Amino acid sequence: MPGSSGPRDSAAGTFAPCAVVPIYNHGGTIAATANALAAHGLPVIIVDDGSDAVTRDILDALVAGRDDLRLIRLPRNGGKGAALTAGFLAAHDAGHSHVLQIDADGQHDTADVPRFLAEARNAPDAMICGRPVYDDSVPKARLYGRYLTHACVWLETLSFAIDDSMCGYRLYPLAATRAEIARKPLPARMDFDTEIAVRLHWRGVPVRNVPTRVTYPEGGLSHFRMWRDNVRITAMHTRLILGMLPRAPRLLARRLGRAGQR
């Protein structure tokens, strides 16, 4: 299949990406997302994060007889971060070199998959982050609220390298990501996307940002819980700012070194 590579290719050091899609009750959109990814030649790992019976039946029918789709079923809902971590570990064990992360709800433009893959081929050690380009469907409170997290991330990394740490559409170099998971477990819920981006930057993983269209479909299902998740995000930023402090000399030296090479 074009663009897909097996474990033996990855072991040989070639580019062997796959996609990981966490899902919790997005039964109405998962088939379009998974099929679009497979059409780009990507093996797809779908991680069912404790979905309801209707969604489970949809997933079973979707993957039946398919070699390009693999279903991992978690026994109970543990959160987006827990589902992604399970998918990353499964992808690593299968011999993949990179993981494209994308949401199951249809917000992300799968037509941009080749752009993410091309960036990763050109910079295989880099994390390729989606930078959302919104239309009028985006809730204004969500849009403006992101800027607080952007400012915190720029402080936590002492750089402007990460344009948007909250976008769940990105491509990871799996060796560095697996090593970071082994060093310290990642958050289980909505704070996952930002924390892994910051921690990989701390680890020295380069960042490339890819503009990509993001829409909010009418009647779309969101699992973001304003009070609960904002408390988690606040705690995460406190933790990351404290983690930045002992790393500050190294982060500044790295930034100055890159500036001197220009």
Side-chain angles (χ1 to χ4, degrees):
M1 182 177 295
S4 63
S5 301
R8 286 176 295 178
D9 292 330
S10 180
T14 59
F15 186 60
C18 71
V20 169
V21 186
I23 178 172
Y24 178 55
N25 294 339
H26 285 106
T29 53
I30 182 60
T33 299
N35 287 329
L37 294 169
H40 288 296
L42 282 174
V44 182
I45 299 174
I46 303 169
V47 185
D48 178 11
D49 188 25
S51 294
D52 58 25
V54 171
T55 305
R56 292 198 301 271
D57 289 344
I58 290 171
L59 291 172
D60 288 339
L62 177 63
V63 303
R66 299 276 297 267
D67 293 330
D68 52 350
L69 304 182
R70 174 184 174 189
L71 177 62
I72 296 175
R73 183 155 277 152
L74 303 184
R76 63 186 62 85
N77 178 249
K80 178 182 181 180
L84 284 167
T85 297
F88 289 176
L89 296 180
H92 181 269
D93 290 345
H96 291 288
S97 64
H98 291 74
V99 162
L100 178 78
Q101 168 192 335
I102 190 170
D103 290 349
D105 58 8
Q107 289 186 9
H108 298 144
D109 187 357
T110 54
D112 284 336
V113 167
R115 297 173 59 211
F116 281 82
L117 295 175
E119 287 285 344
R121 285 190 185 95
N122 290 333
D125 295 332
M127 173 175 56
I128 316 301
C129 293
R131 175 170 60 80
V133 178
Y134 294 109
D135 60 16
D136 292 338
S137 67
V138 60
K140 293 302 184 285
R142 295 280 293 274
L143 177 63
Y144 300 138
R146 299 174 79 91
Y147 285 96
L148 179 58
T149 280
H150 296 345
C152 288
V153 167
W154 296 334
L155 174 61
E156 291 151 9
T157 60
L158 297 180
S159 81
F160 297 106
I162 301 170
D163 285 352
D164 189 304
S165 70
M166 300 181 74
C167 182
Y169 193 8
R170 59 175 66 138
L171 196 149
Y172 300 91
L174 201 44
T177 304
R178 175 66 181 86
E180 187 59 30
I181 292 171
R183 185 187 71 82
K184 182 181 179 182
L186 287 154
R189 295 196 177 270
M190 292 293 187
D191 40 355
F192 173 92
D193 289 332
T194 294
E195 180 152 332
I196 190 173
V198 170
R199 284 170 49 182
L200 287 176
H201 182 274
W202 284 352
R203 195 175 186 88
V205 173
V207 178
R208 292 195 176 189
N209 299 287
V210 174
T212 183
R213 185 174 64 93
V214 176
T215 59
Y216 283 76
E218 186 175 352
L221 175 63
S222 173
H223 297 304
F224 187 86
R225 298 295 176 261
M226 188 65 67
W227 170 251
R228 180 194 70 185
D229 289 318
N230 278 330
V231 168
R232 285 197 176 97
I233 289 169
T234 300
M236 172 198 66
H237 284 307
T238 302
R239 183 170 63 248
L240 292 176
I241 288 171
L242 292 174
M244 175 273 293
L245 295 175
R247 295 175 170 87
R250 177 165 52 86
L251 293 172
L252 288 171
R254 183 197 304 165
R255 184 173 180 183
L256 291 171
R258 287 175 180 170
Q261 293 173 5
R262 294 174 185 170

